[in-house]
Amino acid sequence: MRPQPNKPIVSRGKVLGGPLPLVCVPLVGKSREEILKEAGNIPSIGPDIIELRVDAWEFVEDTAASLSMIKDVRAAAGEIPIILTCRGHWEGGFKKVSDGAKFALYREAAGVVDFLDVELAYGEQKTREVLKFIEGTGASLIVSSHDFEKTPPMEVIFSTLAAQVRAGAHVAKLAAMPRCEEDVLALLSATLAARRQYPDIPIITMSMGGLGAVTRLTGGLFGSDLTFAVGSKASAPGQIPAAELKSCLAVIHPGGN
């Protein structure tokens, strides 16, 4: 039995923190047509969760148009949970998006999507503001950190996850780019340490790129509760096609369904 959180999050029938890590597919289209095409492919891909990367949208600064698009994806996704992500450009986002537009959209979409992703870099005051406006909507807060250049030492990875928990995260998330094999091991070790230190909440971690791809397969054995896969297009280096990833997870976690 893999290490699981004491308080998994159940969203539209999917258990984040259950016996099997969930598979998330990002939607990264830029135009309305591209996004709708990706959304139409969701049933054939069969992810557990989808992530809407609105930082890729051409019209993301238009809150009304973006909210309408989110509702269209919601209709196409049916009962598949949605993570709403407007990734900051400083952490690998597709482009610069104003904080005003980002958080206005988050506020309006909180009753439509199931998870909101906010970077730890915004600070605890901002995460507490988000927690306040999503209260009662059923949405959960992911507090995240991403380093596309390097992997910090294990102790720093652990302390970052700890800071996310202190900031009020319902889910803690960290991704880093490895430069050597030891970096991959550091991330997995820190994940396991965080899972044991903070046994209640779900955790998502991954080592990026080809070198880190093994964490997308085996991270669940160390306490990571979700892994990202390729749907129509990858959102980060090292993502594996969803069907292949699901097959591997079934072998690594037999009887996990």
Side-chain angles (χ1 to χ4, degrees):
M1 180 71 70
R2 77 181 196 88
Q4 300 168 217
N6 294 332
K7 297 179 181 178
I9 295 174
V10 180
S11 178
R12 299 180 188 269
K14 296 295 184 180
V15 183
L16 180 62
L20 194 67
L22 297 185
V23 174
C24 179
V25 167
L27 274 59
V28 295
K30 297 179 181 179
S31 67
R32 181 175 176 82
E33 292 72 22
E34 290 174 347
I35 299 159
L36 287 174
K37 183 177 180 180
E38 283 188 300
N41 290 334
I42 291 171
S44 62
I45 297 171
D48 299 309
I49 295 182
I50 59 174
E51 181 185 39
L52 271 181
R53 285 292 301 269
V54 299
D55 50 294
W57 293 3
E58 296 170 344
F59 49 89
V60 65
E61 297 277 350
D62 184 333
T63 300
S66 296
L67 182 61
S68 177
M69 185 77 260
I70 291 169
K71 290 179 177 178
D72 287 343
V73 174
R74 169 81 280 160
E79 286 303 296
I80 298 175
I82 297 175
I83 299 171
L84 180 60
T85 299
C86 187
R87 178 70 60 236
H89 65 279
W90 66 90
E91 286 191 17
F94 289 103
K95 65 179 181 181
K96 291 184 179 181
V97 179
S98 70
D99 287 349
K102 174 175 180 171
F103 289 103
L105 181 58
Y106 275 22
R107 185 182 292 270
E108 293 296 323
V112 181
V113 302
D114 307 285
F115 297 88
L116 299 173
D117 184 309
V118 176
E119 296 87 346
L120 179 66
Y122 278 104
E124 189 170 331
Q125 181 177 347
K126 175 58 73 173
T127 59
R128 295 293 177 182
E129 288 176 11
V130 176
L131 284 168
K132 187 173 182 179
F133 74 64
I134 68 173
E135 188 174 353
T137 66
S140 298
L141 174 64
I142 300 171
V143 179
S144 62
S145 302
H146 307 78
D147 191 331
F148 281 78
E149 299 297 324
K150 65 184 185 307
T151 297
M154 174 189 166
E155 295 78 10
V156 175
I157 298 173
F158 176 84
S159 66
T160 301
L161 292 168
Q164 293 168 358
V165 175
R166 290 195 302 271
H170 297 133
V171 183
K173 180 193 176 196
L174 185 144
M177 183 66 73
R179 293 181 175 178
C180 61
E181 289 81 357
E182 286 81 1
D183 285 346
V184 179
L185 296 176
L187 180 127
L188 292 173
S189 295
T191 302
L192 185 58
R195 162 55 63 236
R196 289 175 173 165
Q197 182 67 31
Y198 303 103
D200 286 343
I201 77 169
I203 294 172
I204 302 169
T205 64
M206 67 219 71
S207 187
M208 294 184 283
L211 185 59
V214 64
T215 65
R216 300 182 185 276
L217 300 170
T218 62
L221 297 175
F222 298 84
S224 182
D225 297 304
L226 181 147
T227 183
F228 288 82
V230 175
S232 300
K233 184 179 179 182
S235 63
Q239 289 178 357
I240 300 166
E244 296 176 19
L245 183 55
K246 282 198 164 191
S247 296
C248 291
L249 290 178
V251 173
I252 295 169
H253 304 276
N257 291 324

